[in-house]
């Protein structure tokens, strides 16, 4: 076990699991964005044919998993585990969406970092010999998130300049012990970081310190630098959070360079779509990874990506009580070489 540890917080997988299939689902706004061609399915109906937005989010998870299974020519019974979560109370988007598949299920909550959390745990299960195949997935929905965390959508409240748009999207990655790649080679588990930001409309500032902490640990543990990766992609820091992380590293004498990107800045055209600081939500990083990023790696555009989704670990109750926003980030290294 000890020979898999690299530094204090990073794991180097001795038998890197392979991505064997991936799929993503998006809504209307995602279909109007620059990554529209990288979605497996887009639906202009925010209800996805269901009666409520919460059921719509469950439908997205169901569709994402089924598409990933179909593309790998697998049946649900071929999976040893599904690891999934979402932003809704008690993760009902995942549990209700996946209940019909009959696959052993781990429900996770890492807020918008859940894609990184589920990938990390699925990869370690496979590397440890506890699973042969596992699915990692998550979702978010603009309307369900707004109703739970901020204001009911019909209220039409004004959004602040630092606000981000919660993606209506889901993404699923299926990992296996063997496959064509990309492979998950290293994982850094994030720590909870809280710098006292209490504004629920400023997620970027709240999550940026966690992203900096996790990425710093990854670079230190692995002895690498940002330039060693074709892309370093954070989850959904948006414009403000992304610039804060760049500034933090600059103070350390580290230039993040032009290969430092953020899923919240990639998913939408912020100007034409009026997205303010960018995209957010579990489905933001999940859909960008399971479309644009993994497709690009398979097509030879990139050979090594450091994927680091971030999450704000707040709840409506904690916000009402005046609590600050604790945040977390999990880093996953994806490479076309083991």
């Amino acid at each position: 076990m000890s020979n898999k540890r690299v530094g204090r917080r990073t794991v180097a997988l001795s038998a890197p699991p392979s991505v064997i299939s991936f799929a993503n689902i998006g809504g209307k706004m995602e279909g109007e964005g620059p990554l529209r061609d990288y979605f497996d399915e887009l639906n202009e109906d925010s209800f996805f044919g269901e009666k409520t937005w919460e059921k719509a989010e469950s439908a997205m998870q169901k569709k994402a998993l089924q598409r990933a299974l179909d593309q790998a020519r697998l049946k649900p019974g071929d999976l040893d585990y599904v690891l999934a979560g979402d932003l809704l109370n008690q993760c009902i988007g995942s549990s209700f969406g996946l209940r019909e598949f009959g696959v052993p299920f781990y429900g996770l909550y890492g807020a918008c970092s859940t894609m990184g959390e589920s990938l990390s745990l699925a990869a370690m299960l496979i590397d440890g010999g506890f699973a042969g195949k596992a699915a990692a997935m998550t979702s978010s929905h603009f309307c369900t998130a707004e109703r739970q965390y901020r204001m009911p959508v019909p209220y039409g409240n004004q959004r602040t300049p630092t606000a981000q748009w919660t993606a209506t999207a889901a993404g699923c990655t299926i990992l296996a012990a063997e496959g064509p790649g990309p492979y998950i080679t290293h994982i850094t588990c994030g720590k909870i970081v809280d710098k006292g930001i209490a504004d629920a409309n400023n997620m970027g500032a709240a999550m940026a310190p966690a992203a900096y902490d996790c990425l710093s640990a990854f670079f230190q543990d692995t002895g690498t630098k940002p330039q060693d990766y074709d892309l370093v992609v954070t989850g959904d820091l948006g414009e403000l959070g992304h610039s804060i992380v760049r500034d933090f590293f600059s103070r350390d004498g580290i230039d993040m360079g032009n290969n430092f990107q953020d899923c919240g800045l990639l998913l939408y055209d912020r100007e034409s779509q009026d997205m303010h600081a960018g995209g957010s939500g579990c489905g933001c990083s999940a859909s960008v990874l399971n479309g644009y990023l993994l497709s690009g790696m398979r097509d030879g555009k990139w050979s090594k990506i450091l994927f680091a989704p971030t999450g704000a670990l707040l709840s409506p109750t904690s916000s009402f009580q005046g609590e600050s926003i604790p945040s977390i980030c999990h880093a996953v290294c994806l490479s076309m070489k083991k």
Side-chain angles (χ1 to χ4, degrees):
M1 176 65 183
S2 60
N3 64 353
K4 294 185 180 182
R5 304 293 305 188
V6 179
R8 178 68 184 87
R9 293 168 55 187
T10 302
V11 175
L13 303 182
S14 56
S18 172
V19 174
I20 61 169
S21 184
F22 52 91
N24 60 0
I25 307 295
K28 182 177 185 294
M29 300 302 288
E30 294 67 36
E32 296 174 355
L35 302 186
R36 64 180 70 85
D37 294 336
Y38 294 94
F39 278 86
D40 289 285
E41 182 178 333
L42 293 163
N43 196 325
E44 292 197 357
D45 174 21
S46 64
F47 290 95
F48 284 78
E50 301 291 339
K51 292 182 178 180
T52 69
W53 288 317
E54 287 74 19
K55 289 184 177 181
E57 185 165 350
S58 292
M60 282 195 297
Q61 286 225 22
K62 183 177 180 180
K63 288 174 181 287
L65 178 56
Q66 189 61 60
R67 281 216 172 229
L69 287 169
D70 290 345
Q71 287 166 190
R73 297 182 180 179
L74 296 174
K75 297 177 181 179
D78 295 322
L79 297 176
D80 296 304
Y81 299 103
V82 174
L83 299 93
D86 52 83
L87 292 176
L88 298 179
N89 290 334
Q90 291 77 51
C91 292
I92 60 170
S94 304
S95 57
F96 282 72
L98 304 178
R99 59 185 169 181
E100 297 175 7
F101 286 91
V103 179
F105 170 71
Y106 279 115
L108 308 175
Y109 188 82
C112 302
S113 73
T114 301
M115 193 68 232
E117 181 181 13
S118 59
L119 270 180
S120 299
L121 294 172
M124 287 191 284
L125 282 170
I126 293 173
D127 181 61
F130 302 104
K133 296 182 179 68
M137 59 188 301
T138 187
S139 66
S140 60
H141 193 297
F142 175 79
C143 298
T144 65
E146 289 298 307
R147 174 150 60 192
Q148 179 169 291
Y149 287 97
R150 284 174 283 271
M151 296 287 185
V153 176
Y155 182 73
N157 63 300
Q158 187 172 357
R159 297 162 61 230
T160 65
T162 59
Q164 295 169 247
W165 187 275
T166 303
T168 298
C172 176
T173 308
I174 297 180
L175 301 178
E178 299 292 337
Y183 304 95
I184 295 181
T185 62
H186 295 78
I187 294 162
T188 297
C189 182
K191 294 192 300 185
I192 298 171
V193 179
D194 188 343
K195 295 299 183 181
I197 302 295
D199 183 1
N201 289 300
N202 194 354
M203 293 289 98
M207 296 187 294
Y212 167 71
D213 175 80
C214 185
L215 289 173
S216 295
F218 182 92
F219 293 138
Q220 181 176 347
D221 288 350
T222 59
T224 61
K225 55 187 183 299
Q227 288 69 31
D228 293 326
Y229 303 89
D230 298 312
L231 280 179
V232 177
V233 190
T234 47
D236 52 352
L237 296 176
E239 181 183 29
L240 181 61
H242 184 256
S243 65
I244 290 173
V245 172
R246 187 182 290 277
D247 182 60
F248 282 162
F249 277 108
S250 178
R251 296 181 188 187
D252 293 339
I254 299 174
D255 180 11
M256 292 300 285
N258 295 328
N259 63 345
F260 179 42
Q261 278 288 356
D262 183 78
C263 295
L265 297 176
L266 294 169
L267 185 58
Y268 303 114
D269 185 318
R270 292 192 302 120
E271 296 302 322
S272 67
Q273 293 185 277
D274 189 26
M275 291 306 183
H276 291 35
S280 69
C282 298
C284 179
S285 58
S287 63
V288 173
L289 172 70
N290 289 291
Y292 179 61
L293 297 180
L294 290 178
S295 293
M297 294 188 78
R298 286 272 180 91
D299 293 341
K301 187 175 183 179
W302 307 295
S303 62
K304 198 173 185 180
I305 289 177
L306 182 55
F307 175 65
T310 52
L313 304 176
L314 78 164
S315 78
T317 300
S318 65
S319 294
F320 291 154
Q321 294 177 354
E323 280 279 6
S324 55
I325 303 172
S327 298
I328 197 163
C329 172
H330 299 295
V332 178
C333 180
L334 294 137
S335 175
M336 291 306 298
K337 296 180 181 179
K338 290 188 177 182

